[in-house]
Amino acid sequence: MIKALFPKLRIVGRDNVIRVLGDEVQMAAFEEAVETMRKHVLKFNAIKPEDILDIVNGKKTHDEIPEGVLIYNISGRPVKARSENQQKLINAYNSNDMVFAVGPAGTGKTYLSIALAVKALKEKAIKKIILSRPAVEAGEKLGFLPGDMKDKIDPYLQPLYDALEDMLPAVRLQDLMDKHVIQIAPLAFMRGRTLSDAVVILDEAQNTTPAQIRMFLTRMGWNSKMIVTGDLTQVDLPHSQKSGLKEAIEILTGIEGIEVVNFNRKDIVRHKLVTRIVNAYEAFDKAKKSELNINSNESIN
């Protein structure tokens, strides 16, 4: 289509390089148009034929992101709040340096947090994104997994990769990771670091110990924001071990610059069955707790 719009030029596209031959004035116009297209794609992750026509004809494209949209994913779909509490998370992020997002699976806590981080990176408000997760589920079994340390740990970090892959083209994402602009690492790798000019996200924080989350929260540096996500109904720690997330919320609630956003089953944006599953398990847990209380009272009597 671009070739047809510039019939006087000889245009050859190979990989990510476009070679152009012809009249210098035409070539200058072509270069300007392609640069505008490139910027459009960086912003929206997609470009339509009508956008190309508008750019070549010198018209203004629909280049302003509508209010409420954070970014566009690789399919060109807008990423924005889909529930009241998701909007609360966005508002809390905008007005605080540290946010705790707590609630059941499927409420979009991690996905929305990563979208906020990618938006900040695109707008050059920060220099890097750091994503972390505790590898508690692995326990001692980690050593029996095949491969080197990265191969052993990557399965536990895959949900973070999945969200990033939905928001950034594969080549761009790989380039940012190679340059350490986007870093994904287990929580244990955070010790000793000071995280400045970054959005730092700790996912699955319910599986941190009090000492681990304290270590993580005190890594915060200048011009940084932290988002801590977790689900207190899915703690994989030993029963005798208190969740660091639960303790951190108890200690830090009400401190200026820190906000806690509580999600509930109404915020679930996955398959409709996820809501039913969460409801069923909540009812089961409630009945089990009630039964334990009755048995305990009978034993005392």
Side-chain angles (χ1 to χ4, degrees):
M1 180 182 177
I2 293 169
K3 281 182 181 181
L5 291 167
F6 291 91
K8 293 180 181 178
L9 296 178
R10 187 176 170 220
I11 303 166
V12 179
R14 281 193 187 147
D15 297 324
N16 64 337
V17 177
I18 301 173
R19 298 187 185 279
V20 192
L21 291 171
D23 178 70
E24 282 191 18
V25 176
Q26 283 277 311
M27 283 170 63
F30 174 82
E31 186 179 0
E32 188 180 336
V34 169
E35 177 60 15
T36 305
M37 292 175 208
R38 187 186 71 83
K39 287 178 179 175
H40 184 97
V41 172
L42 275 176
K43 188 182 279 190
F44 297 101
N45 276 328
I47 192 163
K48 299 172 186 172
E50 53 266 35
D51 294 325
I52 293 172
L53 272 173
D54 285 343
I55 289 167
V56 171
N57 291 327
K59 294 179 184 175
K60 198 170 177 67
T61 62
H62 174 68
D63 59 356
E64 288 304 313
I65 294 178
E67 191 177 346
V69 175
L70 296 175
I71 56 168
Y72 287 80
N73 70 7
I74 56 169
S75 304
R77 289 199 309 270
V79 177
K80 59 183 179 179
R82 293 171 63 185
S83 73
E84 186 181 340
N85 285 322
Q86 284 193 359
Q87 187 58 52
K88 279 184 183 177
L89 173 57
I90 294 169
N91 296 342
Y93 170 88
N94 290 333
S95 54
N96 296 274
D97 288 336
M98 187 178 291
V99 181
F100 289 84
V102 185
T107 50
K109 305 181 300 293
T110 302
Y111 189 84
L112 201 61
S113 298
I114 292 175
L116 286 164
V118 171
K119 179 178 185 285
L121 186 67
K122 284 190 169 191
E123 292 174 351
K124 294 184 169 55
I126 54 162
K127 293 179 181 176
K128 53 185 179 279
I129 296 172
I130 299 166
L131 309 174
S132 187
R133 261 186 156 206
V136 170
E137 303 93 330
E140 293 177 357
K141 294 180 283 186
L142 196 64
F144 294 97
L145 292 171
D148 59 17
M149 180 58 79
K150 185 178 185 300
D151 294 330
K152 292 172 190 287
I153 287 166
D154 271 1
Y156 296 94
L157 304 173
Q158 192 57 50
L160 304 177
Y161 288 112
D162 290 345
L164 283 169
E165 285 167 358
D166 192 49
M167 295 177 204
L168 291 165
V171 175
R172 175 73 175 146
L173 175 58
Q174 190 59 53
D175 180 55
L176 290 171
M177 292 184 73
D178 289 345
K179 291 175 180 173
H180 301 291
V181 173
I182 294 178
Q183 302 170 27
I184 304 179
L187 180 59
F189 288 24
M190 295 294 110
R191 188 173 294 280
R193 299 184 65 185
T194 301
L195 310 172
S196 301
D197 296 306
V199 172
V200 190
I201 298 171
L202 175 60
D203 192 35
E204 298 290 340
Q206 76 275 3
N207 289 328
T208 59
T209 64
Q212 284 175 330
I213 199 164
R214 185 174 182 174
M215 176 274 292
F216 174 82
L217 296 176
T218 53
R219 300 303 95 200
M220 192 172 191
W222 294 105
N223 189 38
S224 286
K225 285 182 179 267
M226 278 190 170
I227 306 175
V228 180
T229 72
D231 177 3
L232 289 169
T233 66
Q234 293 189 9
V235 179
D236 295 316
L237 295 166
H239 290 296
S240 59
Q241 180 71 67
K242 185 176 182 180
S243 168
L245 176 61
K246 187 175 182 181
E247 183 177 280
I249 291 170
E250 289 170 3
I251 294 168
L252 301 175
T253 297
I255 290 180
E256 187 179 349
I258 300 174
E259 189 166 339
V260 179
V261 180
N262 290 296
F263 288 76
N264 55 52
R265 56 191 180 215
K266 290 179 182 175
D267 300 301
I268 292 174
V269 290
R270 288 185 189 164
H271 193 284
K272 60 186 177 183
L273 270 180
V274 176
T275 307
R276 295 173 193 168
I277 291 166
V278 170
N279 290 345
Y281 270 96
E282 280 186 3
F284 174 79
D285 290 340
K286 196 173 179 180
K288 194 174 179 182
K289 191 175 180 181
S290 178
E291 187 181 327
L292 284 170
N293 288 336
I294 291 168
N295 292 337
S296 176
N297 290 333
E298 286 177 352
S299 298
I300 291 167
N301 293 333

